[in-house]
Amino acid sequence: MSGSAESKHPASTPYHEPSISVILIQSSFLLLLNVVNALLDRAVYCGLLGQVFVGVAWGTPGANWIGIRAEEVIVQLGYLGLLLLVYEGGLSTSLPSLKANLFLSSWVAMTGIVFPIGLSFVLRYSFEATPLQCFAAGAALSSTSLGTTFTVLSTSGLARSRLGVVLTSAAMMDDVIGLVMVQIISNLGQNSSSFDSKVVRRGGSISVDNRARNGT
């Protein structure tokens, strides 16, 4: 048993020299990420969008040049980078400005939630969708990306302005409510016949209670 365990888990990872094609692909990927980011940041303050397209082109949805193992590592590093972006955005946000614009931020966040869900139900009969499908589509559209918001605002120099504070706080509210709505949808399941306001309220209370118990 010990011999088989040692064969499955070697003491050290063997070194294999990468081929020239792998070196060229990965080096061009890193170089192009930085070049596209710098150019788009200067032009339209959205270098992150260009990096997303480069990742799509080099990764699995596109040419699949990077490889699945490298993609897994990049995803893990990207998640750490996202956490650092959100943390940096929270540190750079002015608390007095946040309190002063809390009412306006709440209205912006409410608009970002109510409008997508309402639009999904308005288009319900055009696509023959169920109420649960409409609610799920609206919930997916209402969620924002804090990392993208912080990146664009910091690049454009608007992070400490009133507009930046309002957008940042509204994005945080939208993301929190979006996570609750995702939990509601998972609690509802696939049975759209049981979809009504009471079920949504009950699912929301269960989600909030679970997150409070877990400390998240």
Tab-separated table of all heavy atoms in Angstrom, residues 11-60:
chain	number	residue	atom	x	y	z
A	11	ALA	N	7.660	12.527	-4.556
A	11	ALA	CA	8.239	13.453	-3.585
A	11	ALA	C	8.472	14.830	-4.178
A	11	ALA	O	8.436	15.836	-3.467
A	11	ALA	CB	9.552	12.883	-3.048
A	12	SER	N	8.724	14.907	-5.464
A	12	SER	CA	8.949	16.191	-6.119
A	12	SER	C	8.366	16.146	-7.525
A	12	SER	O	8.226	15.076	-8.117
A	12	SER	CB	10.449	16.514	-6.184
A	12	SER	OG	11.131	15.528	-6.934
A	13	THR	N	8.049	17.314	-8.025
A	13	THR	CA	7.498	17.407	-9.374
A	13	THR	C	8.629	17.356	-10.394
A	13	THR	O	9.568	18.160	-10.316
A	13	THR	CB	6.713	18.716	-9.542
A	13	THR	OG1	5.685	18.771	-8.551
A	13	THR	CG2	6.093	18.795	-10.926
A	14	PRO	N	8.574	16.433	-11.324
A	14	PRO	CA	9.654	16.354	-12.320
A	14	PRO	C	9.654	17.573	-13.230
A	14	PRO	O	8.600	18.132	-13.553
A	14	PRO	CB	9.330	15.071	-13.094
A	14	PRO	CG	7.859	14.869	-12.898
A	14	PRO	CD	7.552	15.395	-11.527
A	15	TYR	N	10.833	17.994	-13.611
A	15	TYR	CA	10.977	19.161	-14.481
A	15	TYR	C	11.013	18.718	-15.934
A	15	TYR	O	11.768	17.816	-16.309
A	15	TYR	CB	12.259	19.928	-14.143
A	15	TYR	CG	12.542	21.053	-15.105
A	15	TYR	CD1	11.827	22.240	-15.049
A	15	TYR	CD2	13.519	20.911	-16.093
A	15	TYR	CE1	12.074	23.267	-15.936
A	15	TYR	CE2	13.777	21.932	-16.985
A	15	TYR	CZ	13.047	23.111	-16.904
A	15	TYR	OH	13.295	24.121	-17.794
A	16	HIS	N	10.176	19.354	-16.731
A	16	HIS	CA	10.157	19.106	-18.167
A	16	HIS	C	10.318	20.445	-18.875
A	16	HIS	O	9.536	21.377	-18.636
A	16	HIS	CB	8.849	18.437	-18.603
A	16	HIS	CG	8.626	17.088	-17.980
A	16	HIS	ND1	9.323	15.966	-18.366
A	16	HIS	CD2	7.785	16.692	-16.987
A	16	HIS	CE1	8.925	14.923	-17.651
A	16	HIS	NE2	7.991	15.341	-16.805
A	17	GLU	N	11.301	20.530	-19.699
A	17	GLU	CA	11.538	21.782	-20.420
A	17	GLU	C	10.420	22.014	-21.431
A	17	GLU	O	10.120	21.139	-22.247
A	17	GLU	CB	12.877	21.720	-21.144
A	17	GLU	CG	13.224	23.014	-21.860
A	17	GLU	CD	14.587	22.940	-22.521
A	17	GLU	OE1	15.297	21.937	-22.284
A	17	GLU	OE2	14.926	23.872	-23.262
A	18	PRO	N	9.763	23.177	-21.374
A	18	PRO	CA	8.671	23.437	-22.322
A	18	PRO	C	9.200	23.596	-23.738
A	18	PRO	O	10.347	24.006	-23.958
A	18	PRO	CB	8.058	24.739	-21.805
A	18	PRO	CG	9.154	25.402	-21.048
A	18	PRO	CD	9.973	24.295	-20.442
A	19	SER	N	8.351	23.288	-24.673
A	19	SER	CA	8.740	23.408	-26.075
A	19	SER	C	8.756	24.877	-26.501
A	19	SER	O	8.240	25.760	-25.809
A	19	SER	CB	7.768	22.618	-26.955
A	19	SER	OG	6.453	23.132	-26.823
A	20	ILE	N	9.336	25.119	-27.658
A	20	ILE	CA	9.411	26.485	-28.176
A	20	ILE	C	8.018	27.045	-28.436
A	20	ILE	O	7.746	28.229	-28.180
A	20	ILE	CB	10.252	26.514	-29.465
A	20	ILE	CG1	11.696	26.087	-29.161
A	20	ILE	CG2	10.241	27.905	-30.080
A	20	ILE	CD1	12.418	26.997	-28.200
A	21	SER	N	7.116	26.205	-28.910
A	21	SER	CA	5.757	26.685	-29.193
A	21	SER	C	5.050	27.122	-27.914
A	21	SER	O	4.358	28.145	-27.892
A	21	SER	CB	4.956	25.586	-29.893
A	21	SER	OG	4.865	24.427	-29.075
A	22	VAL	N	5.233	26.361	-26.832
A	22	VAL	CA	4.614	26.733	-25.556
A	22	VAL	C	5.187	28.049	-25.043
A	22	VAL	O	4.457	28.927	-24.562
A	22	VAL	CB	4.804	25.611	-24.522
A	22	VAL	CG1	4.325	26.060	-23.145
A	22	VAL	CG2	4.055	24.363	-24.953
A	23	ILE	N	6.494	28.217	-25.145
A	23	ILE	CA	7.131	29.460	-24.697
A	23	ILE	C	6.631	30.648	-25.509
A	23	ILE	O	6.320	31.716	-24.962
A	23	ILE	CB	8.661	29.330	-24.800
A	23	ILE	CG1	9.161	28.270	-23.816
A	23	ILE	CG2	9.333	30.669	-24.522
A	23	ILE	CD1	10.647	28.004	-23.918
A	24	LEU	N	6.529	30.478	-26.827
A	24	LEU	CA	6.060	31.569	-27.678
A	24	LEU	C	4.603	31.917	-27.390
A	24	LEU	O	4.229	33.096	-27.348
A	24	LEU	CB	6.233	31.190	-29.151
A	24	LEU	CG	7.673	31.110	-29.668
A	24	LEU	CD1	7.691	30.633	-31.115
A	24	LEU	CD2	8.361	32.462	-29.538
A	25	ILE	N	3.769	30.907	-27.181
A	25	ILE	CA	2.352	31.158	-26.918
A	25	ILE	C	2.169	31.892	-25.597
A	25	ILE	O	1.456	32.906	-25.518
A	25	ILE	CB	1.569	29.830	-26.924
A	25	ILE	CG1	1.467	29.276	-28.345
A	25	ILE	CG2	0.176	30.021	-26.341
A	25	ILE	CD1	0.866	27.890	-28.420
A	26	GLN	N	2.818	31.419	-24.546
A	26	GLN	CA	2.631	32.041	-23.236
A	26	GLN	C	3.273	33.422	-23.164
A	26	GLN	O	2.713	34.345	-22.563
A	26	GLN	CB	3.194	31.125	-22.149
A	26	GLN	CG	2.426	29.816	-22.019
A	26	GLN	CD	2.940	28.948	-20.891
A	26	GLN	OE1	3.930	29.277	-20.239
A	26	GLN	NE2	2.272	27.829	-20.654
A	27	SER	N	4.439	33.587	-23.767
A	27	SER	CA	5.083	34.903	-23.758
A	27	SER	C	4.287	35.909	-24.583
A	27	SER	O	4.132	37.074	-24.181
A	27	SER	CB	6.511	34.794	-24.278
A	27	SER	OG	6.528	34.274	-25.604
A	28	SER	N	3.772	35.480	-25.735
A	28	SER	CA	2.948	36.388	-26.534
A	28	SER	C	1.647	36.727	-25.819
A	28	SER	O	1.144	37.852	-25.916
A	28	SER	CB	2.647	35.760	-27.897
A	28	SER	OG	1.893	34.559	-27.751
A	29	PHE	N	1.111	35.772	-25.074
A	29	PHE	CA	-0.110	36.014	-24.308
A	29	PHE	C	0.114	37.081	-23.239
A	29	PHE	O	-0.656	38.046	-23.124
A	29	PHE	CB	-0.572	34.701	-23.679
A	29	PHE	CG	-1.768	34.830	-22.782
A	29	PHE	CD1	-3.016	35.131	-23.300
A	29	PHE	CD2	-1.644	34.648	-21.414
A	29	PHE	CE1	-4.121	35.252	-22.475
A	29	PHE	CE2	-2.738	34.760	-20.581
A	29	PHE	CZ	-3.980	35.066	-21.112
A	30	LEU	N	1.188	36.946	-22.467
A	30	LEU	CA	1.485	37.928	-21.424
A	30	LEU	C	1.831	39.291	-22.016
A	30	LEU	O	1.404	40.335	-21.497
A	30	LEU	CB	2.637	37.420	-20.552
A	30	LEU	CG	2.358	36.156	-19.740
A	30	LEU	CD1	3.620	35.706	-19.010
A	30	LEU	CD2	1.227	36.383	-18.751
A	31	LEU	N	2.597	39.288	-23.097
A	31	LEU	CA	2.980	40.553	-23.727
A	31	LEU	C	1.763	41.274	-24.294
A	31	LEU	O	1.598	42.490	-24.105
A	31	LEU	CB	4.003	40.287	-24.825
A	31	LEU	CG	4.508	41.514	-25.600
A	31	LEU	CD1	5.227	42.469	-24.655
A	31	LEU	CD2	5.434	41.092	-26.734
A	32	LEU	N	0.892	40.531	-24.961
A	32	LEU	CA	-0.283	41.152	-25.562
A	32	LEU	C	-1.260	41.653	-24.501
A	32	LEU	O	-1.924	42.673	-24.692
A	32	LEU	CB	-0.977	40.148	-26.486
A	32	LEU	CG	-2.018	40.719	-27.458
A	32	LEU	CD1	-1.377	41.758	-28.363
A	32	LEU	CD2	-2.635	39.604	-28.298
A	33	LEU	N	-1.345	40.952	-23.382
A	33	LEU	CA	-2.198	41.424	-22.291
A	33	LEU	C	-1.778	42.816	-21.826
A	33	LEU	O	-2.617	43.706	-21.646
A	33	LEU	CB	-2.142	40.446	-21.117
A	33	LEU	CG	-2.953	39.155	-21.213
A	33	LEU	CD1	-2.714	38.299	-19.976
A	33	LEU	CD2	-4.434	39.447	-21.368
A	34	ASN	N	-0.482	43.007	-21.639
A	34	ASN	CA	0.010	44.298	-21.164
A	34	ASN	C	-0.100	45.381	-22.231
A	34	ASN	O	-0.443	46.531	-21.927
A	34	ASN	CB	1.464	44.159	-20.701
A	34	ASN	CG	1.591	43.384	-19.407
A	34	ASN	OD1	1.437	43.928	-18.321
A	34	ASN	ND2	1.873	42.101	-19.512
A	35	VAL	N	0.170	45.031	-23.482
A	35	VAL	CA	0.093	46.021	-24.558
A	35	VAL	C	-1.347	46.486	-24.762
A	35	VAL	O	-1.630	47.692	-24.849
A	35	VAL	CB	0.674	45.435	-25.863
A	35	VAL	CG1	0.399	46.366	-27.037
A	35	VAL	CG2	2.172	45.205	-25.714
A	36	VAL	N	-2.277	45.534	-24.835
A	36	VAL	CA	-3.686	45.889	-25.029
A	36	VAL	C	-4.212	46.688	-23.849
A	36	VAL	O	-4.960	47.663	-24.014
A	36	VAL	CB	-4.518	44.608	-25.248
A	36	VAL	CG1	-6.004	44.914	-25.211
A	36	VAL	CG2	-4.156	43.963	-26.577
A	37	ASN	N	-3.811	46.300	-22.645
A	37	ASN	CA	-4.256	47.026	-21.459
A	37	ASN	C	-3.764	48.470	-21.478
A	37	ASN	O	-4.526	49.406	-21.182
A	37	ASN	CB	-3.754	46.314	-20.209
A	37	ASN	CG	-4.176	47.019	-18.936
A	37	ASN	OD1	-5.356	47.140	-18.642
A	37	ASN	ND2	-3.200	47.490	-18.175
A	38	ALA	N	-2.502	48.679	-21.842
A	38	ALA	CA	-1.947	50.035	-21.871
A	38	ALA	C	-2.607	50.888	-22.949
A	38	ALA	O	-2.941	52.060	-22.715
A	38	ALA	CB	-0.439	49.964	-22.093
A	39	LEU	N	-2.829	50.313	-24.124
A	39	LEU	CA	-3.427	51.081	-25.223
A	39	LEU	C	-4.873	51.467	-24.931
A	39	LEU	O	-5.275	52.621	-25.116
A	39	LEU	CB	-3.345	50.273	-26.520
A	39	LEU	CG	-1.943	50.042	-27.093
A	39	LEU	CD1	-2.012	49.175	-28.344
A	39	LEU	CD2	-1.262	51.370	-27.402
A	40	LEU	N	-5.660	50.511	-24.462
A	40	LEU	CA	-7.068	50.808	-24.204
A	40	LEU	C	-7.256	51.684	-22.971
A	40	LEU	O	-8.225	52.446	-22.897
A	40	LEU	CB	-7.855	49.501	-24.052
A	40	LEU	CG	-8.014	48.670	-25.327
A	40	LEU	CD1	-8.853	47.430	-25.062
A	40	LEU	CD2	-8.644	49.498	-26.436
A	41	ASP	N	-6.353	51.575	-22.002
A	41	ASP	CA	-6.437	52.468	-20.847
A	41	ASP	C	-6.222	53.921	-21.256
A	41	ASP	O	-6.881	54.831	-20.739
A	41	ASP	CB	-5.397	52.070	-19.792
A	41	ASP	CG	-5.925	50.985	-18.864
A	41	ASP	OD1	-7.144	50.726	-18.893
A	41	ASP	OD2	-5.118	50.395	-18.124
A	42	ARG	N	-5.311	54.143	-22.174
A	42	ARG	CA	-5.072	55.507	-22.643
A	42	ARG	C	-6.188	56.004	-23.555
A	42	ARG	O	-6.504	57.196	-23.561
A	42	ARG	CB	-3.743	55.577	-23.390
A	42	ARG	CG	-2.520	55.391	-22.508
A	42	ARG	CD	-1.247	55.612	-23.299
A	42	ARG	NE	-0.058	55.489	-22.453
A	42	ARG	CZ	1.184	55.683	-22.881
A	42	ARG	NH1	1.400	56.006	-24.155
A	42	ARG	NH2	2.204	55.556	-22.051
A	43	ALA	N	-6.788	55.101	-24.309
A	43	ALA	CA	-7.790	55.519	-25.296
A	43	ALA	C	-9.179	55.663	-24.674
A	43	ALA	O	-9.794	56.731	-24.753
A	43	ALA	CB	-7.831	54.527	-26.457
A	44	VAL	N	-9.678	54.592	-24.058
A	44	VAL	CA	-11.069	54.590	-23.582
A	44	VAL	C	-11.195	54.121	-22.136
A	44	VAL	O	-12.307	53.826	-21.678
A	44	VAL	CB	-11.954	53.707	-24.494
A	44	VAL	CG1	-12.168	54.364	-25.836
A	44	VAL	CG2	-11.334	52.328	-24.681
A	45	TYR	N	-10.102	54.030	-21.401
A	45	TYR	CA	-10.109	53.678	-19.976
A	45	TYR	C	-10.734	52.309	-19.701
A	45	TYR	O	-11.379	52.109	-18.670
A	45	TYR	CB	-10.856	54.739	-19.149
A	45	TYR	CG	-10.350	56.139	-19.346
A	45	TYR	CD1	-11.111	57.075	-20.039
A	45	TYR	CD2	-9.109	56.524	-18.853
A	45	TYR	CE1	-10.646	58.366	-20.227
A	45	TYR	CE2	-8.637	57.810	-19.038
A	45	TYR	CZ	-9.403	58.726	-19.729
A	45	TYR	OH	-8.937	59.998	-19.920
A	46	CYS	N	-10.568	51.371	-20.597
A	46	CYS	CA	-11.148	50.037	-20.376
A	46	CYS	C	-10.174	48.963	-20.854
A	46	CYS	O	-10.524	48.118	-21.679
A	46	CYS	CB	-12.499	49.896	-21.061
A	46	CYS	SG	-12.457	50.043	-22.851
A	47	GLY	N	-8.949	49.013	-20.331
A	47	GLY	CA	-7.975	48.002	-20.703
A	47	GLY	C	-8.372	46.608	-20.275
A	47	GLY	O	-7.988	45.620	-20.905
A	48	LEU	N	-9.167	46.523	-19.199
A	48	LEU	CA	-9.614	45.213	-18.728
A	48	LEU	C	-10.449	44.497	-19.777
A	48	LEU	O	-10.365	43.268	-19.926
A	48	LEU	CB	-10.419	45.387	-17.436
A	48	LEU	CG	-10.940	44.114	-16.784
A	48	LEU	CD1	-9.788	43.221	-16.350
A	48	LEU	CD2	-11.830	44.449	-15.600
A	49	LEU	N	-11.252	45.251	-20.526
A	49	LEU	CA	-12.073	44.641	-21.572
A	49	LEU	C	-11.204	44.015	-22.659
A	49	LEU	O	-11.488	42.910	-23.144
A	49	LEU	CB	-13.000	45.694	-22.178
A	49	LEU	CG	-13.987	45.210	-23.242
A	49	LEU	CD1	-14.930	44.172	-22.661
A	49	LEU	CD2	-14.772	46.384	-23.817
A	50	GLY	N	-10.135	44.702	-23.029
A	50	GLY	CA	-9.225	44.139	-24.015
A	50	GLY	C	-8.547	42.881	-23.517
A	50	GLY	O	-8.348	41.923	-24.279
A	51	GLN	N	-8.191	42.850	-22.234
A	51	GLN	CA	-7.582	41.651	-21.673
A	51	GLN	C	-8.549	40.475	-21.678
A	51	GLN	O	-8.140	39.326	-21.876
A	51	GLN	CB	-7.107	41.941	-20.251
A	51	GLN	CG	-5.923	42.894	-20.192
A	51	GLN	CD	-5.482	43.163	-18.771
A	51	GLN	OE1	-6.275	43.109	-17.836
A	51	GLN	NE2	-4.204	43.469	-18.596
A	52	VAL	N	-9.820	40.757	-21.461
A	52	VAL	CA	-10.823	39.685	-21.521
A	52	VAL	C	-10.881	39.080	-22.920
A	52	VAL	O	-10.916	37.851	-23.094
A	52	VAL	CB	-12.203	40.227	-21.096
A	52	VAL	CG1	-13.295	39.199	-21.372
A	52	VAL	CG2	-12.202	40.600	-19.627
A	53	PHE	N	-10.865	39.930	-23.942
A	53	PHE	CA	-10.917	39.427	-25.315
A	53	PHE	C	-9.652	38.646	-25.676
A	53	PHE	O	-9.719	37.652	-26.406
A	53	PHE	CB	-11.119	40.587	-26.292
A	53	PHE	CG	-12.534	41.087	-26.350
A	53	PHE	CD1	-12.853	42.362	-25.929
A	53	PHE	CD2	-13.552	40.273	-26.823
A	53	PHE	CE1	-14.153	42.825	-25.974
A	53	PHE	CE2	-14.861	40.721	-26.877
A	53	PHE	CZ	-15.163	42.001	-26.450
A	54	VAL	N	-8.507	39.085	-25.165
A	54	VAL	CA	-7.270	38.341	-25.414
A	54	VAL	C	-7.343	36.959	-24.765
A	54	VAL	O	-6.946	35.941	-25.357
A	54	VAL	CB	-6.060	39.130	-24.890
A	54	VAL	CG1	-4.788	38.281	-24.967
A	54	VAL	CG2	-5.874	40.410	-25.683
A	55	GLY	N	-7.867	36.908	-23.541
A	55	GLY	CA	-8.020	35.618	-22.879
A	55	GLY	C	-8.974	34.694	-23.609
A	55	GLY	O	-8.736	33.483	-23.705
A	56	VAL	N	-10.056	35.258	-24.144
A	56	VAL	CA	-11.003	34.446	-24.918
A	56	VAL	C	-10.351	33.924	-26.192
A	56	VAL	O	-10.555	32.772	-26.594
A	56	VAL	CB	-12.263	35.276	-25.246
A	56	VAL	CG1	-13.157	34.541	-26.233
A	56	VAL	CG2	-13.038	35.592	-23.974
A	57	ALA	N	-9.539	34.762	-26.839
A	57	ALA	CA	-8.902	34.350	-28.091
A	57	ALA	C	-7.840	33.281	-27.866
A	57	ALA	O	-7.725	32.328	-28.644
A	57	ALA	CB	-8.283	35.571	-28.777
A	58	TRP	N	-7.065	33.399	-26.788
A	58	TRP	CA	-5.993	32.440	-26.526
A	58	TRP	C	-6.483	31.200	-25.780
A	58	TRP	O	-5.821	30.175	-25.793
A	58	TRP	CB	-4.888	33.113	-25.716
A	58	TRP	CG	-3.684	33.541	-26.491
A	58	TRP	CD1	-2.425	33.009	-26.421
A	58	TRP	CD2	-3.596	34.599	-27.441
A	58	TRP	NE1	-1.577	33.676	-27.265
A	58	TRP	CE2	-2.270	34.659	-27.910
A	58	TRP	CE3	-4.524	35.509	-27.956
A	58	TRP	CZ2	-1.845	35.580	-28.848
A	58	TRP	CZ3	-4.113	36.431	-28.887
A	58	TRP	CH2	-2.793	36.458	-29.322
A	59	GLY	N	-7.632	31.290	-25.108
A	59	GLY	CA	-8.081	30.212	-24.238
A	59	GLY	C	-9.007	29.226	-24.915
A	59	GLY	O	-9.074	29.115	-26.145
A	60	THR	N	-9.757	28.507	-24.053
A	60	THR	CA	-10.620	27.430	-24.532
A	60	THR	C	-11.719	27.889	-25.486
A	60	THR	O	-11.958	27.223	-26.491
A	60	THR	CB	-11.245	26.700	-23.324
A	60	THR	OG1	-10.189	26.167	-22.517
A	60	THR	CG2	-12.140	25.560	-23.773
